[in-house]
Amino acid sequence: MGNVEKRAAVCGVCPGGCGVKVTLEDGKLSDIQPLSGSPYGAICLRGKHASEVVYSPERLTTPLIREGERGEGRFRQASWDEALDLITSNFLRIRNEYGPEAVASHSGRGAFEQSLLDFNADELVASKLLWPFGSPNIASVSSLCYASFGVFASLTTYGLRGKNLVPDLENSNLIVVWGANPATDSPPFMFERILKAKRKGTRIVAIDHMRSDIAERADRWVPVRSGTDGALVLGLLRVIINEKLYDEEFVTKWTSGFEELADYVQSFTPQYVETITKVPAETIVSLAREIATAKPATIRTYTGLEYSNSGVQTIRAVYILWAITGNLDVPGGLYINLAPPLSFDKPSFPRPETKLPIGAEEYPLFYHLTGCAQFLEFPKAVLEGKPYPIKGLLNSGASILTSYPQTSLWEKALRQLDFFAVIDRFMTRDALFADVVLPATTYFENTSYQCYPGYVRLRQPVINPVGEARNDLFILAEIARRLGYGELYPKDEAELLQRVFSRKPELLEQLRANPEGVALPVPERQYKKYESGALRPDGRPGFDTPSGRLEITSKLLADFGYPALPEYTEPIEGPLGSPELFKEFPLVLNTGTRIQSTFRSQHLNIPGLLKHQPYPEILIHPSDAEQRDINDGDKVILSTKRGNVRFFARVTEIVQSGEIEANMGGGSLQALEWSKGNANIITDIANRDPISGFPVFKALLCQVRKDE
Ligand SMILES: Nc1nc2c(c(=O)[nH]1)N[C@H]1C(S)=C(S)[C@@H](COP(=O)(O)OP(=O)(O)OC[C@H]3O[C@@H](n4cnc5c(=O)[nH]c(N)nc54)[C@H](O)[C@@H]3O)O[C@H]1N2
Ligand SMILES: Nc1nc2c(c(=O)[nH]1)N[C@H]1C(S)=C(S)[C@@H](COP(=O)(O)OP(=O)(O)OC[C@H]3O[C@@H](n4cnc5c(=O)[nH]c(N)nc54)[C@H](O)[C@@H]3O)O[C@H]1N2
Ligand code: SF4
Ligand SMILES: [Mo]
């Protein structure tokens, strides 16, 4: 064995940024372990297999230029200069012929690295690279992730971003985890803390359509029919309002629309809500009382509530429930954290004032609150030229063909583009349609920094870049330079750190000397900040909403033509919403609950991770399996009215009878069975939440049969 070195580092597989201890043998990464005793030292299955990811023979190692037909997969190696020049010359050509808006960008889960976000994007991850070029069409996976919960619901109710809402797990009596599974967070920064709170006597309730990791460990699991949480929360609100379990003073002083809500929820009796959600009436009553009387209760929610026909309104109703039961911004409740992370002078990208981005007309509030394109409208723009043609696309760190609903339309659109460039670590199915493919580094190969609440670490490169792969930020910087505005980006990694720590050069020195990181002073917590004026830019008490109050009836939603109240919409494709279809497709279909061994479409080519789950699975209840003569491990055909996909059955009581949970992520260049198991082939691009434009991934109808 050669030279062995161990050192503290930041995991570079996903943007979670867990602290780890790496072992290097002759300069190559061989092992990583959690860095004990420091926050975010958790390690997940994917981190454990980091060296397989980094040195996978399937890593992209040089720029590629297409030689074959689109989709065929014949490329030649090219120099960085040739590949980058080809991108910028085509973008300029398209701008000349069709206007700047005809070039779009899209970025995904591979574009969440901190410096990339800080310099190039905002919290919504949409790269601003094309703004100075003149295109308003910057888009990201926030077209179908996070924004419902973290922008639309939170801003229209509290006037706050989701990132400012932090469950105070340590001081609570009751932790409700609703449509989230902290075991698969990246990083899993709440899971251990929740378990620790439980050991200290805090009760845990999980509201989930299946018995997830957290539901398994909770004191109480409340199973709900997929996509009907909106009715459940209105049912809870009715009990709380009618039994006067809410904080009357808070409601009178700080909210608007309470009377309308009190009227609206009257029809959501426990018995009626039971017929919708399958949650027993007595559970609804006892759960409402439990939350309202826990004093304090806190909440963690996320994507499990985003993908129904009234996703935004459902999350709003949850936020309202939390506030009116006196659990907002109190110890042990949902804490409002305004402390800015590391602040520095970020570059200012000029926003084009010409055309509106695609989706702005269909989803005006989406545009108003994000300033971005709603990417669900991309196929229409490419294929039908509506509202105007899109001809060029830069896709970085995203796998469009596995993530977006109704794959065939997206494939058609990618095939029809004039020019398409992809930046990724691996060849993807998207990239087969690209003209240029650029290789990105893993974060083990980069210099950067990682901020956590109250904590910062430097990301020192652990190994040299694999092949000619480059740090994403500097790939974009090179494109910007060729387009004439390179000065917006740092020119190298030294300048990157210098700019980020320009206000705190001594912190940079400290960080260099402390590879495990440096704790930042945590300001003393201030509660009930709506009383002090800290929530509003003008310093007046109240919330930063149009009315200055916590808006149970949202003025913003009403102004944009949506219901002001958090109204419930029955899944339009569901047993009650489409009873005829239900006869043919009698199972509720939910897709995409996270599994530990994969990250959306990623790692389905990594042997050590594939071992944990070699095939794409659907989870089916034993009673539904038996009716269909399906045994555990059988090949099955999952169908919706849009088509069929082959999965493997896992027969298990962790799903409810009548419901199917299907993995997402398959459908790219992965292990064979996964590469064929793309759940989004049979989801529906037209079935959306009208406010966010998010697809309804979690409340559809399907049938399952054995694949003979
Ligand atoms: N049916 C259904 N569909 C869903 C969901 C669901 O629950 N159900 N979930 C949705 C959600 S929440 C999301 S966020 C989207 C996921 O949407 P995507 O962003 O498409 O997610 P990934 O599949 O992780 O694809 C990330 C890509 O980035 C690459 N990559 C990783 N790291 C880097 C890097 O550092 N640089 C570069 N350049 N590339 C990198 C990976 O190789 C991979 O190809 O899918 C959505 N789609
Ligand atoms: N290992 C791993 N980690 C990941 C990812 C990954 O693919 N793999 N993806 C990353 C991404 S892109 C994101 S956005 C985050 C998301 O983080 P989370 O939102 O925590 O995602 P999940 O772990 O799928 O948890 C969602 C929970 O909601 C439940 N659920 C689904 N539908 C419903 C419903 O209708 N009602 C209720 N009440 N519950 C429902 C699911 O069963 C699941 O337990 O995770 C990130 N972390
Ligand atoms: S969550 Fe992400 S950063 Fe943390 S260990 Fe897993 S792969 Fe690494
Ligand atoms: Mo996501």
Side-chain angles (χ1 to χ4, degrees):
M1 199 163 58
N3 175 31
V4 176
E5 188 197 336
K6 285 186 194 296
R7 63 168 138 122
V10 182
C11 176
V13 174
C14 92
C18 296
V20 290
K21 197 163 69 199
V22 296
T23 307
L24 299 161
E25 289 183 39
D26 289 329
K28 283 192 87 179
L29 179 67
S30 69
D31 185 42
I32 88 169
Q33 295 292 332
L35 192 60
S36 61
S38 97
Y40 308 97
I43 203 168
C44 67
L45 273 180
R46 294 164 293 120
K48 276 199 186 100
H49 291 272
S51 66
E52 270 188 80
V53 175
V54 169
Y55 301 116
S56 164
E58 293 167 45
R59 277 284 300 275
L60 287 167
T61 54
T62 63
L64 299 173
I65 290 179
R66 183 165 59 80
E67 285 199 316
E69 294 300 306
R70 290 186 193 281
E72 190 189 327
R74 260 195 312 127
F75 291 86
R76 69 173 167 86
Q77 297 188 353
S79 69
W80 273 99
D81 274 336
E82 185 189 5
L84 290 166
D85 285 343
L86 195 62
I87 292 177
T88 47
S89 60
N90 275 285
F91 283 0
L92 292 168
R93 174 182 60 77
I94 294 171
R95 185 169 73 180
N96 277 341
E97 280 176 42
Y98 302 96
E101 68 281 357
V103 183
S105 71
H106 175 259
S107 36
R109 284 301 321 212
F112 280 52
E113 197 280 320
Q114 183 131 13
S115 66
L116 191 57
L117 289 185
D118 283 348
F119 274 92
N120 171 65
D122 53 12
E123 62 168 320
L124 295 174
V125 198
S127 163
K128 293 177 189 159
L129 174 74
L130 291 179
W131 272 1
F133 177 81
S135 175
N137 283 310
I138 65 166
S140 74
V141 282
S142 296
S143 300
L144 42 53
C145 176
Y146 175 77
S148 272
F149 141 85
V151 179
F152 311 126
S154 59
L155 276 177
T156 55
T157 313
Y158 293 162
L160 288 160
R161 302 254 169 186
K163 67 176 179 193
N164 297 119
L165 301 169
V166 187
D168 184 5
L169 303 170
E170 281 70 22
N171 300 307
S172 200
N173 291 330
L174 173 69
I175 299 171
V176 178
V177 184
W178 197 336
N181 183 15
T184 55
D185 284 350
S186 51
F189 63 115
M190 284 189 204
F191 189 58
E192 285 302 325
R193 289 166 56 205
I194 293 174
L195 299 186
K196 199 164 156 195
K198 187 182 173 196
R199 288 194 292 275
K200 274 177 43 194
T202 303
R203 265 176 70 80
I204 315 294
V205 171
I207 309 175
D208 204 294
H209 84 108
M210 61 184 257
R211 205 163 70 224
S212 62
D213 302 295
I214 194 68
E216 181 67 38
R217 290 163 176 85
D219 296 284
R220 183 179 195 182
W221 168 41
V222 179
V224 58
R225 167 161 69 93
S226 295
T228 65
D229 300 82
L232 178 60
V233 59
L234 294 171
L236 299 177
L237 281 165
R238 180 180 182 279
V239 175
I240 288 165
I241 292 171
N242 291 3
E243 295 189 4
K244 297 214 178 311
L245 298 174
Y246 58 91
D247 181 337
E248 225 175 316
E249 192 193 325
F250 178 87
V251 165
T252 317
K253 248 177 131 170
W254 304 109
T255 71
S256 68
F258 181 77
E259 292 307 322
E260 285 105 308
L261 179 73
D263 283 346
Y264 176 64
V265 298
Q266 289 315 315
S267 59
F268 290 85
T269 62
Q271 292 70 25
Y272 174 55
V273 172
E274 174 175 344
T275 64
I276 300 174
T277 61
K278 296 215 250 168
V279 179
E282 57 277 17
T283 304
I284 295 166
V285 174
S286 69
L287 180 63
R289 291 176 184 158
E290 183 174 10
I291 297 172
T293 59
K295 303 270 178 246
T298 195
I299 173 87
R300 167 65 177 165
T301 172
Y302 196 1
T303 60
L305 302 185
E306 290 192 313
Y307 305 115
S308 69
N309 290 102
S310 47
V312 173
Q313 297 286 28
T314 298
I315 303 167
R316 264 173 46 68
V318 171
Y319 286 149
I320 290 165
L321 191 160
W322 245 257
I324 69 167
T325 49
N327 285 307
L328 181 64
D329 217 19
V330 296
L334 186 58
Y335 180 63
I336 299 175
N337 184 14
L338 301 173
L342 202 61
S343 63
F344 64 96
D345 296 316
K346 299 193 178 181
S348 150
F349 287 74
R351 183 160 152 180
E353 299 288 337
T354 50
K355 293 205 170 141
L356 293 181
I358 57 170
E361 235 171 89
E362 294 85 345
Y363 300 100
L365 186 66
F366 182 104
Y367 173 61
H368 179 72
L369 294 179
T370 69
C372 299
Q374 178 25 299
F375 202 60
L376 269 286
E377 295 300 313
F378 175 80
K380 198 167 82 188
V382 178
L383 299 170
E384 299 170 38
K386 289 183 184 155
Y388 48 74
I390 298 259
K391 297 286 181 182
L393 177 68
L394 175 67
N395 184 43
S396 55
S399 166
I400 296 169
L401 295 178
T402 59
S403 314
Y404 281 82
Q406 242 172 296
T407 314
S408 57
L409 262 178
W410 295 85
E411 191 172 312
K412 232 171 150 178
L414 294 186
R415 196 184 285 281
Q416 191 157 315
L417 284 170
D418 253 26
F419 185 80
F420 179 30
V422 164
I423 311 175
D424 206 293
R425 294 170 172 174
F426 289 90
M427 199 70 192
T428 58
R429 176 143 353 254
D430 298 4
L432 295 182
F433 297 89
D435 298 275
V436 178
V437 183
L438 299 177
T441 44
T442 69
Y443 316 136
F444 286 113
E445 297 149 57
N446 299 351
T447 296
S448 182
Y449 54 96
Q450 180 78 34
C451 297
Y452 316 90
Y455 203 79
V456 194
R457 261 196 205 114
L458 275 196
R459 222 181 235 293
Q460 313 264 22
V462 164
I463 52 168
N464 291 324
V466 169
E468 292 176 36
R470 289 190 185 176
N471 178 333
D472 287 271
L473 179 64
F474 299 101
I475 298 176
L476 300 182
E478 271 300 309
I479 296 175
R481 195 176 63 79
R482 283 169 160 77
L483 292 171
Y485 44 90
E487 72 288 349
L488 287 171
Y489 292 83
K491 68 176 177 308
D492 55 26
E493 295 187 324
E495 187 189 323
L496 165 69
L497 293 185
Q498 183 252 315
R499 278 170 73 171
V500 172
F501 295 95
S502 58
R503 293 183 192 163
K504 290 188 172 163
E506 66 299 340
L507 178 59
L508 182 58
E509 290 318 306
Q510 264 181 301
L511 287 167
R512 289 194 206 277
N514 293 286
E516 300 198 12
V518 172
L520 299 175
V522 181
E524 202 191 325
R525 285 195 168 190
Q526 309 285 329
Y527 297 101
K528 301 196 176 180
K529 289 182 279 294
Y530 43 84
E531 291 179 347
S532 68
L535 300 184
R536 293 176 52 91
D538 61 10
R540 280 162 48 202
F543 291 82
D544 191 16
T545 56
S547 65
R549 289 173 165 249
L550 184 152
E551 296 198 344
I552 294 173
T553 44
S554 161
K555 175 156 190 315
L556 210 49
L557 284 171
D559 286 351
F560 280 88
Y562 302 108
L565 278 169
E567 286 181 10
Y568 171 65
T569 312
E570 181 60 29
I572 60 167
E573 185 173 312
L576 309 180
S578 41
E580 277 308 309
L581 191 69
F582 184 59
K583 288 183 194 148
E584 199 185 335
F585 296 97
L587 296 164
V588 171
L589 173 64
N590 195 316
T591 62
T593 287
R594 277 85 189 142
I595 58 176
Q596 286 291 1
S597 54
T598 76
F599 199 86
R600 309 289 77 192
S601 70
Q602 300 181 58
H603 313 309
L604 293 165
N605 55 347
I606 302 298
L609 285 166
L610 277 171
K611 264 189 218 145
H612 294 274
Q613 198 189 307
Y615 307 126
E617 288 178 347
I618 60 153
L619 311 187
I620 182 167
H621 189 270
S623 61
D624 296 319
E626 198 186 336
Q627 275 179 31
R628 293 167 175 79
D629 192 25
I630 290 169
N631 293 308
D632 197 51
D634 279 354
K635 289 179 185 169
V636 294
I637 300 296
L638 175 69
S639 340
T640 68
K641 69 172 181 184
R642 294 161 291 276
N644 309 311
V645 182
R646 190 168 76 195
F647 281 85
F648 290 71
R650 181 141 73 90
V651 179
T652 167
E653 286 182 349
I654 75 173
V655 281
Q656 306 175 72
S657 65
E659 295 223 359
I660 296 292
E661 167 64 45
N663 293 154
M664 69 76 66
S668 191
L669 309 186
Q670 305 148 330
L672 184 67
E673 293 296 348
W674 275 104
S675 74
K676 293 195 244 164
N678 182 352
N680 279 325
I681 288 176
I682 56 173
T683 53
D684 186 351
I685 194 173
N687 186 359
R688 305 188 199 167
D689 179 331
I691 300 175
S692 60
F694 279 27
V696 174
F697 282 139
K698 300 199 188 285
L700 299 170
L701 287 176
C702 69
Q703 178 57 292
V704 177
R705 65 182 154 82
K706 203 163 165 160
D707 186 15
E708 302 296 351

